[in-house]
Amino acid sequence: MTATSAARPRGTRLPRLARRRQLLDAAMEVFVARGYHAAAMDEIAERAGVSKPVLYQHFPGKQELYLALLDESVESLIEAVRTALRSTNDNRQRVSATFSAYFAYVAEHRGTFRLVFESDFNDPAVRERLDTADRKCSDMISQVIKEDAGLADDEAHLLGISLVGMAQVSARYWLSTLGTIPREAAEHLVARLAWRGISGWPRTSDQPEQPLADV
């Protein structure tokens, strides 16, 4: 099936927000199938079942359409990580939930994740959004590390960005070898590795109080 073989019939009038959603969904299919550079606005309009002028009423050009999709995609990932971190106060479970969020993201939103992690559109606006997603996720993780382990800002941030990189790379690699290791087992393996490292900094509340020095 080509990106245009399932084009929707034309002529249905939709509310503006519903039409925008339809156009974004069609664009996602085309961008994932073709990549940014090979995708054409004509093909996206045909896929959505609208005329090209209707498409341009909502998005001035291909770049604006792509960036709108990218904004949705990175926010979805950020929200998944935020939800994972808030799901429990047990840090071992937090690590597991956070890695599960990344694995779920690449497994359940394969088109979306390719926009975020495998974009062929090398543009400063794209890079800025991807850097923002990494920064927001690492900031959330490093804040937990800082509060619980009592580390300095720079130290906590280094650990946070390291965990983000580990989650991204391992989840993407797992997807490329899909079927070799079940998803739950893969999540457990990588989360266990991460926990064995990060647990080297116990919660400050769990550390014994130091006796006062004699004066």
Side-chain angles (χ1 to χ4, degrees), residues 51-58:
S51 64
K52 196 172 177 181
V54 169
L55 177 57
Y56 279 112
Q57 286 175 7
H58 292 263

mmCIF file with all atom_site columns, all heavy atoms in Angstrom, residues 51-58:
data_model
loop_
_atom_site.group_PDB
_atom_site.id
_atom_site.type_symbol
_atom_site.label_atom_id
_atom_site.label_alt_id
_atom_site.label_comp_id
_atom_site.label_asym_id
_atom_site.label_entity_id
_atom_site.label_seq_id
_atom_site.pdbx_PDB_ins_code
_atom_site.Cartn_x
_atom_site.Cartn_y
_atom_site.Cartn_z
_atom_site.occupancy
_atom_site.B_iso_or_equiv
_atom_site.pdbx_formal_charge
_atom_site.auth_seq_id
_atom_site.auth_comp_id
_atom_site.auth_asym_id
_atom_site.auth_atom_id
_atom_site.pdbx_PDB_model_num
ATOM 1  N N   . SER A 1 51 ? -8.874  19.385 -0.754 1.00 0.00 ? 51 SER A N   1
ATOM 2  C CA  . SER A 1 51 ? -8.142  20.084 -1.809 1.00 0.00 ? 51 SER A CA  1
ATOM 3  C C   . SER A 1 51 ? -6.882  20.702 -1.206 1.00 0.00 ? 51 SER A C   1
ATOM 4  O O   . SER A 1 51 ? -6.802  20.933 0.009  1.00 0.00 ? 51 SER A O   1
ATOM 5  C CB  . SER A 1 51 ? -9.006  21.181 -2.426 1.00 0.00 ? 51 SER A CB  1
ATOM 6  O OG  . SER A 1 51 ? -9.300  22.181 -1.472 1.00 0.00 ? 51 SER A OG  1
ATOM 7  N N   . LYS A 1 52 ? -5.934  20.992 -2.062 1.00 0.00 ? 52 LYS A N   1
ATOM 8  C CA  . LYS A 1 52 ? -4.697  21.599 -1.570 1.00 0.00 ? 52 LYS A CA  1
ATOM 9  C C   . LYS A 1 52 ? -4.943  22.971 -0.933 1.00 0.00 ? 52 LYS A C   1
ATOM 10 O O   . LYS A 1 52 ? -4.333  23.276 0.106  1.00 0.00 ? 52 LYS A O   1
ATOM 11 C CB  . LYS A 1 52 ? -3.693  21.708 -2.725 1.00 0.00 ? 52 LYS A CB  1
ATOM 12 C CG  . LYS A 1 52 ? -2.260  21.969 -2.268 1.00 0.00 ? 52 LYS A CG  1
ATOM 13 C CD  . LYS A 1 52 ? -1.317  21.868 -3.448 1.00 0.00 ? 52 LYS A CD  1
ATOM 14 C CE  . LYS A 1 52 ? 0.116   22.187 -3.058 1.00 0.00 ? 52 LYS A CE  1
ATOM 15 N NZ  . LYS A 1 52 ? 1.036   22.108 -4.206 1.00 0.00 ? 52 LYS A NZ  1
ATOM 16 N N   . PRO A 1 53 ? -5.835  23.824 -1.502 1.00 0.00 ? 53 PRO A N   1
ATOM 17 C CA  . PRO A 1 53 ? -6.119  25.098 -0.828 1.00 0.00 ? 53 PRO A CA  1
ATOM 18 C C   . PRO A 1 53 ? -6.648  24.924 0.594  1.00 0.00 ? 53 PRO A C   1
ATOM 19 O O   . PRO A 1 53 ? -6.330  25.729 1.479  1.00 0.00 ? 53 PRO A O   1
ATOM 20 C CB  . PRO A 1 53 ? -7.166  25.743 -1.736 1.00 0.00 ? 53 PRO A CB  1
ATOM 21 C CG  . PRO A 1 53 ? -6.873  25.190 -3.089 1.00 0.00 ? 53 PRO A CG  1
ATOM 22 C CD  . PRO A 1 53 ? -6.466  23.770 -2.835 1.00 0.00 ? 53 PRO A CD  1
ATOM 23 N N   . VAL A 1 54 ? -7.448  23.881 0.844  1.00 0.00 ? 54 VAL A N   1
ATOM 24 C CA  . VAL A 1 54 ? -7.942  23.633 2.198  1.00 0.00 ? 54 VAL A CA  1
ATOM 25 C C   . VAL A 1 54 ? -6.774  23.316 3.128  1.00 0.00 ? 54 VAL A C   1
ATOM 26 O O   . VAL A 1 54 ? -6.714  23.787 4.272  1.00 0.00 ? 54 VAL A O   1
ATOM 27 C CB  . VAL A 1 54 ? -8.966  22.475 2.207  1.00 0.00 ? 54 VAL A CB  1
ATOM 28 C CG1 . VAL A 1 54 ? -9.273  22.030 3.638  1.00 0.00 ? 54 VAL A CG1 1
ATOM 29 C CG2 . VAL A 1 54 ? -10.245 22.892 1.511  1.00 0.00 ? 54 VAL A CG2 1
ATOM 30 N N   . LEU A 1 55 ? -5.834  22.520 2.654  1.00 0.00 ? 55 LEU A N   1
ATOM 31 C CA  . LEU A 1 55 ? -4.664  22.195 3.458  1.00 0.00 ? 55 LEU A CA  1
ATOM 32 C C   . LEU A 1 55 ? -3.886  23.454 3.804  1.00 0.00 ? 55 LEU A C   1
ATOM 33 O O   . LEU A 1 55 ? -3.477  23.653 4.958  1.00 0.00 ? 55 LEU A O   1
ATOM 34 C CB  . LEU A 1 55 ? -3.774  21.211 2.702  1.00 0.00 ? 55 LEU A CB  1
ATOM 35 C CG  . LEU A 1 55 ? -2.458  20.801 3.374  1.00 0.00 ? 55 LEU A CG  1
ATOM 36 C CD1 . LEU A 1 55 ? -2.699  20.189 4.752  1.00 0.00 ? 55 LEU A CD1 1
ATOM 37 C CD2 . LEU A 1 55 ? -1.693  19.810 2.486  1.00 0.00 ? 55 LEU A CD2 1
ATOM 38 N N   . TYR A 1 56 ? -3.720  24.335 2.825  1.00 0.00 ? 56 TYR A N   1
ATOM 39 C CA  . TYR A 1 56 ? -2.958  25.567 3.060  1.00 0.00 ? 56 TYR A CA  1
ATOM 40 C C   . TYR A 1 56 ? -3.709  26.557 3.941  1.00 0.00 ? 56 TYR A C   1
ATOM 41 O O   . TYR A 1 56 ? -3.098  27.456 4.533  1.00 0.00 ? 56 TYR A O   1
ATOM 42 C CB  . TYR A 1 56 ? -2.583  26.219 1.727  1.00 0.00 ? 56 TYR A CB  1
ATOM 43 C CG  . TYR A 1 56 ? -1.367  25.588 1.086  1.00 0.00 ? 56 TYR A CG  1
ATOM 44 C CD1 . TYR A 1 56 ? -1.464  24.857 -0.082 1.00 0.00 ? 56 TYR A CD1 1
ATOM 45 C CD2 . TYR A 1 56 ? -0.115  25.724 1.667  1.00 0.00 ? 56 TYR A CD2 1
ATOM 46 C CE1 . TYR A 1 56 ? -0.349  24.272 -0.677 1.00 0.00 ? 56 TYR A CE1 1
ATOM 47 C CE2 . TYR A 1 56 ? 1.010   25.157 1.093  1.00 0.00 ? 56 TYR A CE2 1
ATOM 48 C CZ  . TYR A 1 56 ? 0.885   24.432 -0.076 1.00 0.00 ? 56 TYR A CZ  1
ATOM 49 O OH  . TYR A 1 56 ? 1.997   23.858 -0.641 1.00 0.00 ? 56 TYR A OH  1
ATOM 50 N N   . GLN A 1 57 ? -5.020  26.418 4.055  1.00 0.00 ? 57 GLN A N   1
ATOM 51 C CA  . GLN A 1 57 ? -5.757  27.264 4.990  1.00 0.00 ? 57 GLN A CA  1
ATOM 52 C C   . GLN A 1 57 ? -5.355  26.986 6.428  1.00 0.00 ? 57 GLN A C   1
ATOM 53 O O   . GLN A 1 57 ? -5.402  27.866 7.281  1.00 0.00 ? 57 GLN A O   1
ATOM 54 C CB  . GLN A 1 57 ? -7.265  27.037 4.827  1.00 0.00 ? 57 GLN A CB  1
ATOM 55 C CG  . GLN A 1 57 ? -7.867  27.646 3.574  1.00 0.00 ? 57 GLN A CG  1
ATOM 56 C CD  . GLN A 1 57 ? -9.328  27.274 3.418  1.00 0.00 ? 57 GLN A CD  1
ATOM 57 O OE1 . GLN A 1 57 ? -9.938  26.669 4.313  1.00 0.00 ? 57 GLN A OE1 1
ATOM 58 N NE2 . GLN A 1 57 ? -9.909  27.617 2.276  1.00 0.00 ? 57 GLN A NE2 1
ATOM 59 N N   . HIS A 1 58 ? -4.984  25.769 6.691  1.00 0.00 ? 58 HIS A N   1
ATOM 60 C CA  . HIS A 1 58 ? -4.616  25.369 8.049  1.00 0.00 ? 58 HIS A CA  1
ATOM 61 C C   . HIS A 1 58 ? -3.113  25.440 8.295  1.00 0.00 ? 58 HIS A C   1
ATOM 62 O O   . HIS A 1 58 ? -2.684  25.744 9.414  1.00 0.00 ? 58 HIS A O   1
ATOM 63 C CB  . HIS A 1 58 ? -5.104  23.946 8.320  1.00 0.00 ? 58 HIS A CB  1
ATOM 64 C CG  . HIS A 1 58 ? -6.597  23.817 8.387  1.00 0.00 ? 58 HIS A CG  1
ATOM 65 N ND1 . HIS A 1 58 ? -7.290  23.822 9.572  1.00 0.00 ? 58 HIS A ND1 1
ATOM 66 C CD2 . HIS A 1 58 ? -7.530  23.695 7.405  1.00 0.00 ? 58 HIS A CD2 1
ATOM 67 C CE1 . HIS A 1 58 ? -8.579  23.700 9.341  1.00 0.00 ? 58 HIS A CE1 1
ATOM 68 N NE2 . HIS A 1 58 ? -8.751  23.610 8.036  1.00 0.00 ? 58 HIS A NE2 1
#
